[in-house]
Structure formats: C-alpha cells, structure tokens
Amino acid sequence: MYDIIIIGAGPAGLTAALYALRANKKILILEAKAYGGQIVAAHKIENYPAIENISGVDFADNLYKQVEKLGAEIKYETVLKINEERSVFTDKNTYQAKAIIIATGAKNRRLGLLEEQKFVGKGLSYCASCDGNFYKDKDVAVIGGGNTALEDALYLANIARKVYLIHRRDVFRGEEAYYKKLKELDNVSFMLNSNCVKIDGDERIESITIKDKDENLSELKIDGLFIAVGQEPSNEIFADVIDVDDKGYIIAHDDVCTSKDKIYVAGDARVKTLRQLTTAVADGSLAAVMAIKEISK
Ligand code: NAP
C-alpha cells in the first residue's frame, strides 16, 4: 500500500513527489515513457521566476535529481486503468494507494492530415529542440500560432537557412515579445491566414501545399516541417472513473480535486486557464498537500 501513487513524471508529477517525500510519505511514481514530460522539448525557459534562463532538459534533470535524492520510487510502466478504490493497473502490475495524483499532462496535437503519420521522423517533427539540429542550412516550416510555434521558429532561425512560419489566422496567440524578435530576423517569413493542406515527398518530406484565405493553393519546397498546433490530453483511461470535459481535460474543483475522493489532478491534464511550467508545479505542490491532509485524517 502506497500513501500516494503519482501518475506521470513531468514537472507537476515530480513536484507532487517532492512535496510528498518531504512529508515522509510512501510514494510511487509511474511513468510510461521518460521523466520530464513536455518541458524537455523547451530549448529555453525564460519565464520561470528566479531562473533567468534554463533549458527544458536541465530543468527536468534538476527536478528529477532532487526527487531521486529524497528516495523516490519510480517505475516505467504504462497505466491502463484506475478505479474508485484507488487501485492502479499497469501493463505489468497492480498497485494500491491511499491517494492518486494524475499528472499525465498533454500530448502534441496532430494537424489531422492523412499523410501526417507517414512522414513522422522523415522530415516531420513535433519537437524543434529535439530535431532542429538536423536542418542546418536547410529550409523548414513551422505550423502554429501559439508560444510553442513562435519559440520553435526562433530556435530554428538560428539553425536553418530559412524558416516559414505558417499560421491559420492573421494574429498570433503567442506572446508579442516572441513575435517582435521574429520580425527582426531576415531568414523568417510569415505566411498568415494560411493552412497546410497536403504534405508531399517520396522517402522524406519535399514540399507542402498551402491554402490561403482566398482558397489559392501554392507549393512550398521544404526539408523539414515542425507542427506546433497545441496539445490535447491523454485522459481516456480515467474518463470512466472521474469527470472530464468535452475535450477530455479532467474537471477539477479547488484546483486539483477530481470528482472522486482522494483522486487528484495536477498540471496540463486538468481544465485550467493557463498551462505553463509555473502552474504545473503549483498544481503538483497543492495536489500533494491536499492528498497528504486527506489521507492523514
Ligand atoms: P496553443 O497556445 O494552444 O496554440 C496552438 C496554436 O495552433 C494556435 O495558434 C492555433 O490556432 C493553432 N492550431 C490549432 N489547431 C490547428 C490546426 N488544426 N491547424 C492549424 N493551426 C492550428 O499551443 P502551444 O503553443 O503548444 O502552447 C500550449 C500552452 O503552453 C500555452 O498555454 C502556451 O502559452 C504554453 N507555452 C508557454 C511557453 C512559454 O511561456 N515559454 C512556451 C510554450 C508553450 P488559433 O490561434 O487560430 O487557435
């Protein structure tokens, strides 16, 4: 019997672990892939208080080491199911906890083109900081209008010969500060009110087809395509036990409490206004404190 099982080892889950371990609780962290979550894809974090500049990988490593030093037990297993009695079923084992914290974050949204999957790893990527270096002096396109797309375009402009930033509207959702920096770069071109409707290539991506607001089609020759059109949750496995909204995000009251007793949610997996590192770690700490309080009653 664990005091708390934390599902997901991103910033929210690891912060929950930090707080629970410091309170001397017996915890288990279950992670399907690798620790760090989405933040490892951030090449530079500049909006975390008191840290002027850090890479996502370094942030994740530091947090992981901090938790590891406190004796965290982490198992790389995929959670398949939980139940109201707080049993957790993975692809390898079944565990029991007094409380569960779901910190499964969100995954990259697909653009939705039929041929998209075929080109993943063959010129198509969802992570500029992971794959950007393959495009030194080449031509790339970034699709999206949020902070991720703007940051990716900035990052790639330092590596690639040319960066096309393609966005479906004429206004960016991302911060003005990034847009300002991008406008100053000679090798960045903006393609606004534009949608990518087709990806072409033989072995690898060779070009994409762009449709503008007047429905005109044009072909753009590129070597790499970075899709940054937001995230979506991975909460299907929890949806029969706790309430989720129509997009699949977990509905929370008091920030981190789900519709079931002693099952909490922290980070991007829940309905919230701002999905950032600061709010993920805030959720992680709050979920742990609330869980500890509840199971100590
Ligand atoms: P996002 O803010 O949700 O933006 C997604 C973008 O993709 C939007 O511009 C959206 O267009 C566009 N889009 C969505 N579906 C599309 C489709 N099918 N075809 C074409 N375009 C599509 O996602 P994000 O940029 O990944 O950011 C997620 C969260 O993380 C945000 O809260 C963001 O602020 C945060 N974040 C913060 C930082 C930072 O602070 N350093 C860095 C990265 C991310 P519309 O605008 O037209 O809807």
Side-chain angles (χ1 to χ4, degrees), residues 73-118:
E73 182 179 355
I74 179 160
K75 292 190 177 181
Y76 292 92
E77 298 180 19
T78 302
V79 173
L80 304 175
K81 207 172 106 162
I82 64 167
N83 64 19
E84 268 186 66
E85 290 71 41
R86 295 171 302 280
S87 307
V88 178
F89 306 88
T90 75
D91 52 349
K92 299 195 179 103
N93 288 299
T94 300
Y95 303 99
Q96 185 62 43
K98 295 177 188 163
I100 293 174
I101 297 175
I102 299 170
T104 43
K107 57 177 184 274
N108 292 318
R109 181 180 291 131
R110 301 301 188 241
L111 200 55
L113 297 175
L114 279 178
E115 63 278 21
E116 194 168 342
Q117 192 55 35
K118 170 183 155 193

Side-chain angles (χ1 to χ4, degrees), residues 38-56:
Q38 291 177 83
I39 201 63
V40 298
H43 57 97
K44 217 194 266 181
I45 301 162
E46 290 181 336
N47 58 358
Y48 194 86
I51 302 177
E52 209 178 331
N53 190 325
I54 188 169
S55 75

Side-chain angles (χ1 to χ4, degrees), residues 46-257:
E46 290 181 336
N47 58 358
Y48 194 86
I51 302 177
E52 209 178 331
N53 190 325
I54 188 169
S55 75
V57 169
D58 285 347
F59 184 91
D61 275 346
N62 291 348
L63 181 53
Y64 179 77
K65 280 180 197 145
Q66 195 177 5
V67 170
E68 202 185 25
K69 253 192 200 164
L70 293 172
E73 182 179 355
I74 179 160
K75 292 190 177 181
Y76 292 92
E77 298 180 19
T78 302
V79 173
L80 304 175
K81 207 172 106 162
I82 64 167
N83 64 19
E84 268 186 66
E85 290 71 41
R86 295 171 302 280
S87 307
V88 178
F89 306 88
T90 75
D91 52 349
K92 299 195 179 103
N93 288 299
T94 300
Y95 303 99
Q96 185 62 43
K98 295 177 188 163
I100 293 174
I101 297 175
I102 299 170
T104 43
K107 57 177 184 274
N108 292 318
R109 181 180 291 131
R110 301 301 188 241
L111 200 55
L113 297 175
L114 279 178
E115 63 278 21
E116 194 168 342
Q117 192 55 35
K118 170 183 155 193
F119 289 107
V120 175
K122 294 172 183 159
L124 190 152
S125 169
Y126 297 89
C127 177
S129 59
C130 316
D131 301 322
N133 272 327
F134 296 124
Y135 298 93
K136 195 164 165 36
D137 298 326
K138 300 205 163 164
D139 296 345
V140 299
V142 176
I143 301 179
N147 275 333
T148 305
L150 298 184
E151 281 190 359
D152 285 359
L154 271 174
Y155 176 69
L156 291 164
N158 268 324
I159 301 166
R161 180 174 56 190
K162 178 87 194 167
V163 178
Y164 299 95
L165 180 53
I166 301 164
H167 180 36
R168 65 183 177 183
R169 291 188 295 135
D170 61 350
V171 198
F172 287 107
R173 185 180 289 271
E175 286 173 33
E176 179 68 25
Y178 293 129
Y179 181 42
K180 219 170 141 191
K181 280 190 196 172
L182 282 167
K183 278 194 293 189
E184 285 163 8
L185 299 174
D186 293 337
N187 64 340
V188 176
S189 288
F190 299 93
M191 299 180 79
L192 302 177
N193 293 311
S194 299
N195 277 295
C196 170
V197 292
K198 197 161 181 286
I199 307 170
D200 275 305
D202 193 8
E203 289 294 298
R204 294 181 55 81
I205 288 186
E206 289 163 20
S207 67
I208 52 176
T209 305
I210 304 294
K211 191 196 263 185
D212 69 16
K213 69 172 188 304
D214 300 318
E215 309 268 304
N216 294 319
L217 297 176
S218 58
E219 196 193 17
L220 185 66
K221 298 242 176 262
I222 48 162
D223 304 291
L225 178 64
F226 290 87
I227 297 178
V229 296
Q231 277 88 41
E232 51 195 19
S234 323
N235 293 328
E236 301 83 2
I237 54 165
F238 309 117
D240 58 341
V241 179
I242 52 175
D243 294 346
V244 300
D245 74 359
D246 55 352
K247 291 184 185 135
Y249 288 103
I250 295 169
I251 296 169
H253 64 91
D254 295 324
D255 291 329
V256 294
C257 301

